[in-house]
CSV table of all heavy atoms in Angstrom, one decimal:
chain,number,residue,atom,x,y,z
A,1070,GLY,N,-91.9,23.6,-6.5
A,1070,GLY,CA,-91.1,23.1,-5.4
A,1070,GLY,C,-89.8,23.9,-5.3
A,1070,GLY,O,-89.8,25.1,-5.5
A,1071,VAL,N,-88.8,23.3,-5.0
A,1071,VAL,CA,-87.5,23.9,-4.8
A,1071,VAL,C,-86.9,24.4,-6.1
A,1071,VAL,O,-86.7,23.6,-7.0
A,1071,VAL,CB,-86.5,23.0,-4.1
A,1071,VAL,CG1,-85.1,23.7,-3.9
A,1071,VAL,CG2,-87.0,22.6,-2.7
A,1072,VAL,N,-86.7,25.7,-6.2
A,1072,VAL,CA,-86.2,26.2,-7.5
A,1072,VAL,C,-84.8,26.8,-7.3
A,1072,VAL,O,-84.2,27.2,-8.3
A,1072,VAL,CB,-87.1,27.3,-8.0
A,1072,VAL,CG1,-88.5,26.7,-8.3
A,1072,VAL,CG2,-87.2,28.5,-7.0
A,1073,GLY,N,-84.2,26.9,-6.1
A,1073,GLY,CA,-82.9,27.4,-6.0
A,1073,GLY,C,-82.5,27.5,-4.5
A,1073,GLY,O,-83.2,27.1,-3.6
A,1074,GLY,N,-81.4,28.2,-4.3
A,1074,GLY,CA,-81.0,28.4,-2.9
A,1074,GLY,C,-79.5,28.6,-2.8
A,1074,GLY,O,-78.8,28.8,-3.9
A,1075,GLU,N,-79.0,28.7,-1.7
A,1075,GLU,CA,-77.6,28.9,-1.4
A,1075,GLU,C,-77.1,28.0,-0.3
A,1075,GLU,O,-77.8,27.9,0.7
A,1075,GLU,CB,-77.3,30.4,-1.0
A,1075,GLU,CG,-75.9,30.7,-1.1
A,1075,GLU,CD,-75.7,32.3,-0.9
A,1075,GLU,OE1,-76.7,33.0,-0.8
A,1075,GLU,OE2,-74.6,32.7,-0.9
A,1076,VAL,N,-76.1,27.3,-0.5
A,1076,VAL,CA,-75.6,26.3,0.4
A,1076,VAL,C,-75.0,27.0,1.6
A,1076,VAL,O,-74.2,27.9,1.5
A,1076,VAL,CB,-74.5,25.4,-0.2
A,1076,VAL,CG1,-74.0,24.4,0.8
A,1076,VAL,CG2,-75.1,24.6,-1.4
A,1077,GLY,N,-75.3,26.6,2.8
A,1077,GLY,CA,-74.8,27.1,4.0
A,1077,GLY,C,-73.6,26.3,4.5
A,1077,GLY,O,-73.2,25.3,3.8
A,1078,GLY,N,-73.0,26.6,5.6
A,1078,GLY,CA,-71.9,25.9,6.1
A,1078,GLY,C,-71.2,26.7,7.2
A,1078,GLY,O,-71.6,27.8,7.6
A,1079,TYR,N,-70.2,26.1,7.7
A,1079,TYR,CA,-69.4,26.7,8.8
A,1079,TYR,C,-67.9,26.3,8.6
A,1079,TYR,O,-67.6,25.3,7.9
A,1079,TYR,CB,-69.9,26.4,10.2
A,1079,TYR,CG,-69.4,25.1,10.7
A,1079,TYR,CD1,-68.3,24.9,11.4
A,1079,TYR,CD2,-70.2,23.9,10.4
A,1079,TYR,CE1,-67.8,23.7,11.9
A,1079,TYR,CE2,-69.8,22.7,10.8
A,1079,TYR,CZ,-68.6,22.6,11.6
A,1079,TYR,OH,-68.2,21.3,12.0
A,1080,ALA,N,-67.0,27.1,9.2
A,1080,ALA,CA,-65.6,26.8,9.2
A,1080,ALA,C,-65.1,27.4,10.5
A,1080,ALA,O,-65.5,28.4,11.0
A,1080,ALA,CB,-64.9,27.4,8.0
A,1081,GLU,N,-64.2,26.6,11.1
A,1081,GLU,CA,-63.6,27.1,12.4
A,1081,GLU,C,-62.1,26.6,12.5
A,1081,GLU,O,-61.7,25.6,11.8
A,1081,GLU,CB,-64.3,26.6,13.6
A,1081,GLU,CG,-64.3,25.2,13.9
A,1081,GLU,CD,-64.9,24.8,15.2
A,1081,GLU,OE1,-64.8,25.6,16.1
A,1081,GLU,OE2,-65.4,23.7,15.3
A,1082,CYS,N,-61.4,27.3,13.2
A,1082,CYS,CA,-60.0,27.0,13.5
A,1082,CYS,C,-59.6,27.5,14.9
A,1082,CYS,O,-60.0,28.6,15.3
A,1082,CYS,CB,-59.0,27.5,12.5
A,1082,CYS,SG,-57.3,27.0,12.8
A,1083,PHE,N,-59.0,26.6,15.7
A,1083,PHE,CA,-58.6,27.1,17.1
A,1083,PHE,C,-57.2,26.7,17.3
A,1083,PHE,O,-56.6,25.7,16.8
A,1083,PHE,CB,-59.5,26.5,18.2
A,1083,PHE,CG,-59.3,25.0,18.4
A,1083,PHE,CD1,-58.3,24.5,19.2
A,1083,PHE,CD2,-60.2,24.1,17.8
A,1083,PHE,CE1,-58.1,23.2,19.4
A,1083,PHE,CE2,-60.0,22.7,18.1
A,1083,PHE,CZ,-59.0,22.3,18.8
Side-chain angles (χ1 to χ4, degrees):
V1071 177
V1072 297
E1075 195 171 358
V1076 178
Y1079 78 92
E1081 69 171 328
C1082 182
F1083 70 82

